Amino acid sequence: MMSSVDFTAFPRAGFMRRLGAWIYDALLAIAVYMVAGAIGFGLFQLGATLGLVNMNGHQHLIDVQQSSYFYSALIYGWNIFWVIYFFLFFWARSGQTLGMKAWRLRLQHLDGQLINKKLGLIRIIYSLFGLGNIWLFIEWKHKLSLQDKLTNTEIVVLSLAANKAKI
């Protein structure tokens, strides 16, 4: 970790910059979801081949999945797990997803330290699928989203030099 950078010195990010990163990351999250879905359905196919999945008289595996709440929950849960993990991994590792890196944003504790995966998960829940950012219009002066406020974290705008540094 780069210790010479004082991450508490950077200004908090406003709505438009966060929105730009959110759109970028939404596209990446869709890609992660699709790849996880392909792998998950491949594992589902393997389970059917090994006799672990009961076809219940269906000819096609997709019909088995769509007719079963259990299999649907399993497959969609797998996909969502990997999307959530995408965010948690990057936030805990560097404070930046790829979209945040492109927009020079960093998620951190108020003291500039990185968050852990547990706090990241709490933050995802409080974000209400991104709707928590609307709170920025209420907390305009402080530039805090709902998830920032409830987890004592912040999103800051890094300088070009700090954004390029390995952190």
Side-chain angles (χ1 to χ4, degrees):
M1 177 177 258
M2 181 179 244
S3 59
S4 63
V5 177
D6 178 14
F7 288 107
T8 61
F10 295 106
R12 290 183 179 153
F15 180 78
M16 293 307 289
R17 190 173 283 267
R18 288 177 188 233
L19 179 63
W22 187 89
I23 291 169
Y24 191 108
D25 281 334
L27 294 172
L28 291 169
I30 289 167
V32 168
Y33 186 90
M34 291 171 63
V35 170
I39 293 169
F41 208 78
L43 292 172
F44 190 54
Q45 174 67 51
L46 178 63
T49 302
L50 296 174
L52 301 173
V53 174
N54 184 348
M55 295 295 286
N56 288 330
H58 296 287
Q59 290 184 1
H60 301 286
L61 200 55
I62 191 68
D63 296 330
V64 175
Q65 183 255 315
Q66 290 178 346
S67 67
S68 168
Y69 290 121
F70 174 73
Y71 292 139
S72 289
L74 198 61
I75 289 173
Y76 294 132
W78 164 272
N79 297 353
I80 291 169
F81 167 81
W82 286 107
V83 170
I84 290 171
Y85 188 77
F86 162 79
F87 287 99
L88 299 180
F89 175 81
F90 284 105
W91 287 344
R93 184 170 185 236
S94 65
Q96 296 179 293
T97 60
L98 297 174
M100 294 170 76
K101 183 91 172 160
W103 285 86
R104 296 189 354 245
L105 301 179
R106 182 176 192 258
L107 170 61
Q108 61 188 23
H109 284 284
L110 299 178
D111 65 2
Q113 297 297 309
L114 293 174
I115 69 168
N116 60 32
K117 290 177 184 164
K118 180 181 176 185
L119 186 60
L121 184 59
I122 293 168
R123 187 178 161 79
I124 286 173
I125 293 166
Y126 287 155
S127 76
L128 307 171
F129 300 105
L131 293 176
N133 287 313
I134 294 171
W135 192 263
L136 285 162
F137 294 111
I138 296 168
E139 287 280 336
W140 190 263
K141 180 179 173 187
H142 301 289
K143 294 186 178 178
L144 290 171
S145 66
L146 182 62
Q147 58 270 25
D148 293 336
K149 191 171 182 73
L150 294 175
T151 60
N152 292 317
T153 59
E154 63 185 354
I155 304 269
V156 296
V157 180
L158 299 177
S159 66
L160 288 171
N163 196 48
K164 289 180 182 177
K166 292 283 185 195
I167 46 178

